[in-house]
Amino acid sequence: AQSVAQPEDQVNVAEGNPLTVKCTYSVSGNPYLFWYVQYPNRGLQFLLKYITGDNLVKGSYGFEAEFNKSQTSFHLKKPSALVSDSALYFCAVSADRGSTLGRLYFGRGTQLTVWP
Amino acid sequence: DAGITQSPRHKVTETGTPVTLRCHQTENHRYMYWYRQDPGHGLRLIHYSYGVKDTDKGEVSDGYSVSRSKTEDFLLTLESATSSQTSVYFCAIRSLGDLGTDTQYFGPGTRLTVL
């Protein structure tokens, strides 16, 4: 079965510092991995994804994520946090085969707060 | 945002009443999804559709039904609403293409309160 774990409900960082939001996954087959961001009272916005290829994926708003197959992780990172990055972040996984092809499984979300 | 709209955006209803939520897309995507978002649970799949009149259950489908009579519209119905169905409901489409473009995009959401 496919599943995603986001071990931290909240992450707090100071503006200008690097940030990391953690995600680990379990999937049958090769994983497709995604990060989405949700601002208050808004829908989910796609940030970036890993399908295949380079393990370091760059996305919108200066975010990047590193796929680590041995650790089954896909942590979201940004070198220098902005107050405007404060939002709820979701990691999601899909598999490249099987009956659940195309279905996304989400983590519970991590609330990122960047203080000035 | 992939041309997805949801209606209504907010609804308050009473226990036992039927409720229908509508998702409309303008870009002819084959796959459409209904999720619910609840604190501490992330997003969970209710039902999805892989074409007109082709639908299947997700992980939290009890108490919900769906219909897709046209490519552009995917309806979610709560036959008899319960307080446990108070949630924020999101519709999504799956954008398919060459390798690297398989991505789901989400609508703005519908906040449903069942009293």
Side-chain angles (χ1 to χ4, degrees), chain B residues 49-63:
Chain B
S49 171
Y50 46 97
V52 173
K53 297 192 190 312
D54 290 324
T55 64
D56 205 349
K57 297 179 179 180
E59 56 185 312
V60 290
S61 60
D62 287 349

Side-chain angles (χ1 to χ4, degrees), chain A residues 98-101 103 105, chain B residues 30-35 44-62 64-68 74-76:
Chain A
S99 61
T100 58
L101 180 64
R103 290 175 56 169
Y105 294 83
Chain B
R30 178 183 173 193
Y31 290 84
M32 298 183 74
Y33 305 82
W34 276 108
Y35 293 88
R44 294 178 291 175
L45 182 66
I46 305 171
H47 281 280
Y48 64 101
S49 171
Y50 46 97
V52 173
K53 297 192 190 312
D54 290 324
T55 64
D56 205 349
K57 297 179 179 180
E59 56 185 312
V60 290
S61 60
D62 287 349
Y64 302 95
S65 63
V66 290
S67 66
R68 191 158 177 211
F74 191 31
L75 304 181
L76 176 70

Side-chain angles (χ1 to χ4, degrees), chain B residues 10-50:
Chain B
H10 302 270
K11 186 169 182 67
V12 179
T13 191
E14 294 189 350
T15 297
T17 60
V19 177
T20 296
L21 308 182
R22 179 180 182 241
C23 178
H24 179 78
Q25 54 124 341
T26 60
E27 299 183 357
N28 208 35
H29 295 288
R30 178 183 173 193
Y31 290 84
M32 298 183 74
Y33 305 82
W34 276 108
Y35 293 88
R36 59 179 289 174
Q37 181 183 14
D38 304 288
H41 290 277
L43 275 77
R44 294 178 291 175
L45 182 66
I46 305 171
H47 281 280
Y48 64 101
S49 171
Y50 46 97

Side-chain angles (χ1 to χ4, degrees), chain B residues 65-84:
Chain B
S65 63
V66 290
S67 66
R68 191 158 177 211
S69 59
K70 299 184 292 184
T71 298
E72 58 265 35
D73 289 326
F74 191 31
L75 304 181
L76 176 70
T77 297
L78 291 65
E79 301 289 347
S80 178
T82 67
S83 59
S84 65

Side-chain angles (χ1 to χ4, degrees), chain A residues 11 20 31 63 68 73 76 83-84 89 91 93 103-106 116:
Chain A
V11 170
T20 299
F63 284 93
N68 187 316
S73 66
L76 181 69
V83 173
S84 57
Y89 290 80
C91 182
V93 67
R103 290 175 56 169
L104 276 181
Y105 294 83
F106 283 84

